[in-house]
Amino acid sequence: MQITETQSDGLKRAFTVILPHADLEQKRQARLVELGRTMKMPGFRPGKVPMTLLQKRYGPAVMAEVADESVNEATRQLLSERGLRPAMQPKVDLVSAGDANDLEFTLQLEVLPDITVPNLGEISLTRLKTEPPAEAVDQGLANILRSRRKEIDITEARPAAEGDTLVVDFIGRIGGEAFEGGTAQDVPVEIGGSGFIPGFAEQLVGMSVGESRTISVRFPEDYGSAELAGKDAEFEVTAKALKQYETPVADDALATELGFEDLDDLKKFVRDRLQRELDSEARQNLKRQLLDALADRVSFEVPPSLTASEFQQIWERLETERKAGRLDDEDKDKDEETLRTEYQGIADRRVRLGLLLAEIGQRNGITVSNEEMNRAVFQHSMAYGARQKEALEMFRKNPQAAEFLRGPIFEEKVVDYVLELAQVEDKPVTPEELTAAVEGDSQ
């Protein structure tokens, strides 16, 4: 094998590789001999097919197979001997591979950079600690009670009052024209509730079953649909039924019905769930601090192909958000050039931190076990609801489909490892302060 390096520019490498035709021919002959031992052809006993016939019928196909395997083997050997770690799959282009010629191909790739891991023990972080207040536990319990309430039809003829639920049909119009998504039937509207456009439910107070009414509302400026946001609309509403909901009492009997020992056990469940949510927010903030600290401590060139791929994914999501009218307020007024520059920087940071975390994990033997992968697959499949079994079967038949779960698990394990080495100080805060810190992280 003859190797000529044609490029060594930063992280980019390129080679020309020539494989002697004699070596390929030797492999082809060996493959044909092996094939001939079992080949069956009319007029010949098994294993007695003449080599000339085998070459005529199968020679080209066998040579193509040998050439492909030889290119892959030569690529692996080249990377191994030169200690090169590709950032992505190398690009291979065949230059010549005639029946009587040497096989020549070019190899282009970007390599991973040499990474110096900073002193992780010098990193100082603050873990925000808080507990759910009593009113949050009470609200959590109230939400459970609300989910268990029973629907009661009101048969007496009376107007709807706050706290009632009015079942209505409605047609929405803007400028006199009905708009998409503005027409619906048998929709329950809680009088005084917050589930509809501001001002919608409030104007239904006093309606009786069988009555029709036209109400005017303005869609919020931040409404989910850009076509409707900030616009005035009229709704022609017809009341069809009046209902009330009976909320159960929070007591030991209800708690037992829900599978708990008593009411205190139910409240503990609510408190623990809220605590997990707060701990998750605190973890998110602590991880952000850690990533910021690591980003400040490292500076190395990242493979352009990885950055380009990451940026493309970010930009596609941004375009989707833009078309749906859901761009962040701070991005709405920026021109495309500014946005591209900013998100290019974000992509570069993500790739650099990803490579650093991968390096830390590799050096310290951090891996994702089969048990962790199985648990992740099961949890992910739960999102499919009634089709969970189908999802699990899909993952079982296609193990590659589960590989996208491995990256996040690996990253969290590396983060845990670094946090064990870093200097982490606990700081008591209120839930509001924790939420503000997390919201600040996302900006």
Side-chain angles (χ1 to χ4, degrees), residues 236-254:
E236 182 182 333
V237 184
T238 300
K240 300 178 68 176
L242 189 62
K243 301 177 181 290
Q244 279 185 332
Y245 288 94
E246 182 180 87
T247 303
V249 177
D251 54 19
D252 290 343
L254 175 66

Side-chain angles (χ1 to χ4, degrees), residues 66-287:
V66 166
D68 186 58
E69 292 178 356
S70 297
V71 168
N72 292 334
E73 182 182 345
T75 299
R76 288 192 295 269
Q77 182 178 339
L78 186 156
L79 297 177
S80 175
E81 291 178 350
R82 303 200 175 211
L84 300 177
R85 298 187 298 164
M88 298 184 73
Q89 183 69 25
K91 180 184 179 183
V92 175
D93 289 315
L94 204 61
V95 177
S96 65
D99 285 343
N101 298 325
D102 294 340
L103 188 155
E104 180 178 349
F105 68 93
T106 60
L107 184 69
Q108 296 178 336
L109 69 153
E110 292 175 359
V111 298
L112 294 175
D114 292 328
I115 300 174
T116 301
V117 177
N119 188 335
L120 304 178
E122 293 180 351
I123 297 176
S124 297
L125 308 169
T126 302
R127 180 190 287 113
L128 304 181
K129 302 281 287 185
T130 191
E131 296 179 355
E135 54 268 26
V137 177
D138 292 340
Q139 182 59 53
L141 181 60
N143 291 339
I144 292 177
L145 297 179
R146 180 181 176 85
S147 69
R148 301 285 296 180
R149 63 185 185 173
K150 297 179 180 179
E151 182 181 279
I152 300 175
D153 292 324
I154 298 176
T155 56
E156 63 175 302
R158 68 167 179 82
E162 187 168 338
D164 291 337
T165 293
L166 199 61
V167 180
V168 302
D169 293 346
F170 58 75
I171 301 175
R173 297 182 175 89
I174 295 178
E177 298 291 333
F179 57 89
E180 185 177 356
T183 300
Q185 291 79 40
D186 298 322
V187 178
V189 181
E190 183 177 351
I191 307 301
S194 57
F196 272 69
I197 308 164
F200 187 101
E202 292 85 341
Q203 296 182 63
L204 303 188
V205 173
M207 284 191 73
S208 299
V209 174
E211 180 184 349
S212 294
R213 180 181 296 182
T214 299
I215 62 176
S216 299
V217 298
R218 175 184 287 269
F219 284 95
E221 296 293 339
D222 59 351
Y223 193 70
S225 170
E227 291 76 14
L228 302 178
K231 293 186 177 179
D232 294 319
E234 286 190 343
F235 283 87
E236 182 182 333
V237 184
T238 300
K240 300 178 68 176
L242 189 62
K243 301 177 181 290
Q244 279 185 332
Y245 288 94
E246 182 180 87
T247 303
V249 177
D251 54 19
D252 290 343
L254 175 66
T256 302
E257 182 182 338
L258 293 175
F260 299 91
E261 293 182 3
D262 51 30
L263 182 58
D264 287 339
D265 191 30
L266 174 58
K267 288 182 177 180
K268 180 179 181 301
F269 166 79
V270 174
R271 187 181 300 105
D272 290 346
R273 183 177 62 186
L274 292 173
Q275 187 65 62
R276 286 194 298 272
E277 293 174 358
L278 292 172
D279 290 345
S280 177
E281 289 188 4
R283 161 78 177 201
Q284 179 180 339
N285 173 261
L286 185 62
K287 181 179 178 180

